[in-house]
Amino acid sequence: SRTVTDIDGNVYKTVKIGNQWWMAENLRVSKYRNGDEIPDVADASVWGGLDTGARCAYNNNPDNVDLCGYLYNWHAVNDSRNIAPEGWHVPADDEWKTLEKHLGMSQSQADAEGFRGKDEGGKLKEAGTTHWLTPNTGATNESGFTGIPNGSRYYYDGTFERQYSVALFWSSTEKDADRVWSRYLSYEISTVLRSFGNTKNGFSVRLVKD
């Protein structure tokens, strides 16, 4: 199976789903493509005020990074210096929809907000309860995407939320001035939530091949 390597030398498994190649792990890079550091911001009040790129480990615990990757705010995702290695990019909202349609959603389901579809989230989640909370409803990982529940960091007060129970992923597509389309997988639900996150939130990043 193919791999992709980031500027830090981290090697990621990839998986072909339909006509798309996806990373099968969460991004854990510490630098932009040009070598500039993506600041690691631990302080909660600083995190909530940033309009520039930042990353952090869940609970600021580096032990979380190997499995879960970093949480990034959207300013890091959107930085022109590029968070992705050459040949890869953060998926647009439509590229997430392409994935979801391949796994069974109709176009109208894919275009809707909230939890939609039937079992597409289960096809994206790592199976079992080693990392996900019980019951991890519908999780088969049939796609090979291996979604891991890294939780998130809330912009308003910098708190960490819901590790083991949710996976939240950025898209590159803005909804409006300070909100961006994102995807959300839950331990209790087999469908996929299409929603939007504040640009200052900390979410996981998966990349798709150009």
Side-chain angles (χ1 to χ4, degrees):
S1 65
R2 302 190 195 183
T3 60
V4 55
T5 304
D6 69 25
I7 191 167
D8 291 329
N10 297 308
V11 179
Y12 303 87
K13 297 189 205 73
T14 67
V15 60
K16 193 175 191 210
I17 309 174
N19 293 316
Q20 297 171 307
W21 280 95
W22 287 83
M23 264 188 186
E25 302 175 54
N26 292 348
L27 191 66
R28 53 185 186 274
V29 74
S30 69
K31 301 181 188 79
Y32 296 108
R33 191 187 291 180
N34 72 350
D36 290 352
E37 183 83 8
I38 304 168
D40 189 342
V41 176
D43 187 276
S45 55
V46 173
W47 180 275
L50 288 174
D51 287 311
T52 51
R55 66 185 160 100
C56 60
Y58 191 93
N59 275 344
N60 297 311
N61 179 354
D63 292 346
N64 283 316
V65 176
D66 270 359
L67 177 71
C68 295
Y70 285 109
L71 296 170
Y72 299 92
N73 67 12
W74 192 70
H75 300 295
V77 167
N78 194 44
D79 195 289
S80 62
R81 290 171 288 182
N82 242 312
I83 200 170
E86 192 74 46
W88 291 75
H89 61 275
V90 177
D93 185 44
D94 279 346
E95 290 177 298
W96 280 110
K97 291 180 188 177
T98 297
L99 171 66
E100 292 163 329
K101 287 186 294 185
H102 175 75
L103 296 178
M105 278 189 208
S106 66
Q107 184 69 54
S108 63
Q109 285 173 325
D111 290 341
E113 284 184 43
F115 280 103
R116 63 243 206 288
K118 185 181 77 209
D119 58 3
E120 294 81 3
K123 292 175 180 176
L124 292 169
K125 291 190 290 182
E126 181 188 61
T129 52
T130 306
H131 303 123
W132 285 95
L133 291 181
T134 305
N136 199 13
T137 304
T140 65
N141 198 29
E142 184 188 303
S143 66
F145 184 85
T146 317
I148 295 283
N150 194 26
S152 64
R153 191 173 196 180
Y154 189 50
Y155 74 95
Y156 185 71
D157 59 4
T159 52
F160 293 94
E161 301 182 315
R162 296 174 299 184
Q163 190 183 29
Y164 311 120
S165 65
V166 299
L168 284 136
F169 302 102
W170 286 118
S171 84
S172 61
T173 307
E174 291 175 86
K175 183 186 193 310
D176 52 37
D178 57 359
R179 296 184 300 179
V180 177
W181 290 109
S182 57
R183 292 299 186 278
Y184 173 115
L185 305 172
S186 166
Y187 77 105
E188 297 176 293
I189 297 170
S190 64
T191 57
V192 184
L193 180 76
R194 176 172 177 258
S195 185
F196 38 82
N198 185 287
T199 54
K200 300 174 192 299
N201 282 341
F203 290 169
S204 297
V205 170
R206 287 292 180 104
L207 301 176
V208 68
K209 203 170 189 314
D210 294 353

Short mmCIF file of all heavy atoms in Angstrom, two decimals, residues 3-7 23 32-34 81-89 207-210:
data_model
loop_
_atom_site.label_atom_id
_atom_site.label_comp_id
_atom_site.label_asym_id
_atom_site.label_seq_id
_atom_site.Cartn_x
_atom_site.Cartn_y
_atom_site.Cartn_z
N THR A 3 2.24 5.11 0.71
CA THR A 3 2.37 5.99 1.87
C THR A 3 2.67 7.41 1.38
O THR A 3 3.01 7.62 0.21
CB THR A 3 3.51 5.55 2.81
OG1 THR A 3 4.74 5.57 2.08
CG2 THR A 3 3.25 4.16 3.38
N VAL A 4 2.53 8.37 2.29
CA VAL A 4 2.95 9.74 2.02
C VAL A 4 3.76 10.19 3.23
O VAL A 4 3.47 9.80 4.36
CB VAL A 4 1.75 10.68 1.73
CG1 VAL A 4 0.74 10.64 2.85
CG2 VAL A 4 2.22 12.10 1.47
N THR A 5 4.80 11.00 2.98
CA THR A 5 5.70 11.45 4.04
C THR A 5 5.62 12.97 4.15
O THR A 5 5.67 13.66 3.13
CB THR A 5 7.15 11.02 3.74
OG1 THR A 5 7.17 9.60 3.56
CG2 THR A 5 8.08 11.40 4.88
N ASP A 6 5.51 13.49 5.38
CA ASP A 6 5.46 14.94 5.57
C ASP A 6 6.87 15.51 5.79
O ASP A 6 7.85 14.77 5.82
CB ASP A 6 4.47 15.33 6.69
CG ASP A 6 4.94 14.92 8.08
OD1 ASP A 6 6.16 14.79 8.32
OD2 ASP A 6 4.07 14.76 8.97
N ILE A 7 6.95 16.81 5.96
CA ILE A 7 8.25 17.50 6.07
C ILE A 7 9.01 17.10 7.34
O ILE A 7 10.24 17.19 7.39
CB ILE A 7 8.06 19.03 5.98
CG1 ILE A 7 9.41 19.74 5.80
CG2 ILE A 7 7.28 19.58 7.17
CD1 ILE A 7 9.31 21.19 5.39
N MET A 23 -5.45 10.03 3.16
CA MET A 23 -4.64 9.60 4.28
C MET A 23 -5.50 8.74 5.19
O MET A 23 -6.65 9.10 5.48
CB MET A 23 -4.18 10.81 5.10
CG MET A 23 -2.82 11.29 4.74
SD MET A 23 -2.37 12.55 5.97
CE MET A 23 -0.85 13.09 5.25
N TYR A 32 4.90 23.91 8.20
CA TYR A 32 4.34 24.09 6.87
C TYR A 32 5.30 23.49 5.84
O TYR A 32 6.46 23.18 6.15
CB TYR A 32 4.10 25.57 6.57
CG TYR A 32 3.06 26.20 7.48
CD1 TYR A 32 3.44 27.11 8.48
CD2 TYR A 32 1.71 25.88 7.35
CE1 TYR A 32 2.47 27.69 9.30
CE2 TYR A 32 0.75 26.45 8.18
CZ TYR A 32 1.14 27.35 9.15
OH TYR A 32 0.19 27.91 9.97
N ARG A 33 4.82 23.37 4.63
CA ARG A 33 5.61 22.75 3.56
C ARG A 33 6.96 23.45 3.34
O ARG A 33 7.94 22.82 2.95
CB ARG A 33 4.78 22.77 2.26
CG ARG A 33 5.35 21.94 1.13
CD ARG A 33 4.58 22.13 -0.17
NE ARG A 33 3.23 21.56 -0.11
CZ ARG A 33 2.37 21.61 -1.14
NH1 ARG A 33 2.72 22.23 -2.27
NH2 ARG A 33 1.17 21.08 -1.03
N ASN A 34 7.01 24.76 3.63
CA ASN A 34 8.26 25.51 3.42
C ASN A 34 9.23 25.41 4.59
O ASN A 34 10.30 26.01 4.58
CB ASN A 34 7.96 26.99 3.13
CG ASN A 34 7.47 27.73 4.37
OD1 ASN A 34 7.17 27.11 5.40
ND2 ASN A 34 7.39 29.04 4.28
N ARG A 81 1.31 28.92 3.19
CA ARG A 81 2.56 28.15 3.23
C ARG A 81 2.30 26.65 3.13
O ARG A 81 3.23 25.88 2.92
CB ARG A 81 3.34 28.47 4.50
CG ARG A 81 3.92 29.88 4.50
CD ARG A 81 4.49 30.26 5.84
NE ARG A 81 3.44 30.50 6.82
CZ ARG A 81 3.67 30.89 8.07
NH1 ARG A 81 4.92 31.06 8.49
NH2 ARG A 81 2.66 31.10 8.91
N ASN A 82 1.04 26.25 3.28
CA ASN A 82 0.63 24.88 2.98
C ASN A 82 0.92 23.88 4.09
O ASN A 82 2.07 23.51 4.34
CB ASN A 82 1.29 24.38 1.69
CG ASN A 82 0.25 24.05 0.66
OD1 ASN A 82 -0.73 23.37 0.97
ND2 ASN A 82 0.46 24.55 -0.54
N ILE A 83 -0.12 23.39 4.71
CA ILE A 83 0.01 22.39 5.78
C ILE A 83 0.27 20.99 5.20
O ILE A 83 0.79 20.12 5.88
CB ILE A 83 -1.25 22.40 6.67
CG1 ILE A 83 -0.97 21.76 8.04
CG2 ILE A 83 -2.44 21.75 5.97
CD1 ILE A 83 -2.09 21.95 9.05
N ALA A 84 -0.06 20.81 3.92
CA ALA A 84 0.03 19.48 3.29
C ALA A 84 1.33 19.31 2.53
O ALA A 84 1.86 20.25 1.96
CB ALA A 84 -1.14 19.30 2.32
N PRO A 85 1.86 18.07 2.51
CA PRO A 85 3.02 17.82 1.65
C PRO A 85 2.66 17.97 0.17
O PRO A 85 1.48 17.92 -0.19
CB PRO A 85 3.43 16.38 1.98
CG PRO A 85 2.34 15.78 2.76
CD PRO A 85 1.45 16.87 3.26
N GLU A 86 3.68 18.15 -0.64
CA GLU A 86 3.52 18.26 -2.09
C GLU A 86 2.64 17.14 -2.62
O GLU A 86 2.82 15.97 -2.26
CB GLU A 86 4.92 18.16 -2.74
CG GLU A 86 4.97 18.55 -4.20
CD GLU A 86 4.86 20.05 -4.39
OE1 GLU A 86 5.55 20.80 -3.67
OE2 GLU A 86 4.08 20.46 -5.28
N GLY A 87 1.65 17.51 -3.46
CA GLY A 87 0.79 16.50 -4.07
C GLY A 87 -0.46 16.16 -3.28
O GLY A 87 -1.28 15.34 -3.71
N TRP A 88 -0.61 16.80 -2.12
CA TRP A 88 -1.77 16.53 -1.24
C TRP A 88 -2.38 17.85 -0.80
O TRP A 88 -1.74 18.90 -0.87
CB TRP A 88 -1.33 15.72 -0.01
CG TRP A 88 -0.94 14.32 -0.38
CD1 TRP A 88 0.22 13.93 -1.00
CD2 TRP A 88 -1.72 13.14 -0.19
NE1 TRP A 88 0.20 12.58 -1.21
CE2 TRP A 88 -0.97 12.05 -0.73
CE3 TRP A 88 -2.98 12.89 0.37
CZ2 TRP A 88 -1.45 10.74 -0.71
CZ3 TRP A 88 -3.45 11.58 0.40
CH2 TRP A 88 -2.69 10.53 -0.15
N HIS A 89 -3.64 17.80 -0.32
CA HIS A 89 -4.30 19.02 0.15
C HIS A 89 -5.41 18.67 1.14
O HIS A 89 -5.84 17.53 1.23
CB HIS A 89 -4.88 19.82 -1.03
CG HIS A 89 -5.92 19.09 -1.83
ND1 HIS A 89 -5.60 18.22 -2.86
CD2 HIS A 89 -7.28 19.07 -1.73
CE1 HIS A 89 -6.72 17.72 -3.36
NE2 HIS A 89 -7.77 18.21 -2.69
N LEU A 207 -5.84 14.47 4.81
CA LEU A 207 -5.52 15.01 3.49
C LEU A 207 -5.98 14.07 2.39
O LEU A 207 -6.12 12.86 2.60
CB LEU A 207 -4.01 15.23 3.38
CG LEU A 207 -3.40 16.17 4.42
CD1 LEU A 207 -1.89 16.24 4.25
CD2 LEU A 207 -4.01 17.57 4.35
N VAL A 208 -6.22 14.66 1.22
CA VAL A 208 -6.60 13.90 0.03
C VAL A 208 -5.60 14.26 -1.07
O VAL A 208 -5.03 15.36 -1.09
CB VAL A 208 -8.07 14.21 -0.35
CG1 VAL A 208 -8.25 15.64 -0.82
CG2 VAL A 208 -8.62 13.21 -1.32
N LYS A 209 -5.37 13.31 -1.97
CA LYS A 209 -4.35 13.50 -3.02
C LYS A 209 -4.87 14.44 -4.08
O LYS A 209 -6.06 14.41 -4.42
CB LYS A 209 -4.04 12.13 -3.64
CG LYS A 209 -2.68 12.02 -4.31
CD LYS A 209 -2.43 10.55 -4.66
CE LYS A 209 -1.02 10.31 -5.14
NZ LYS A 209 -0.52 11.27 -6.13
N ASP A 210 -3.96 15.29 -4.60
CA ASP A 210 -4.33 16.23 -5.67
C ASP A 210 -4.82 15.46 -6.89
O ASP A 210 -4.35 14.36 -7.17
CB ASP A 210 -3.10 17.05 -6.11
CG ASP A 210 -2.62 17.98 -4.99
OD1 ASP A 210 -3.29 18.08 -3.95
OD2 ASP A 210 -1.55 18.60 -5.18
#
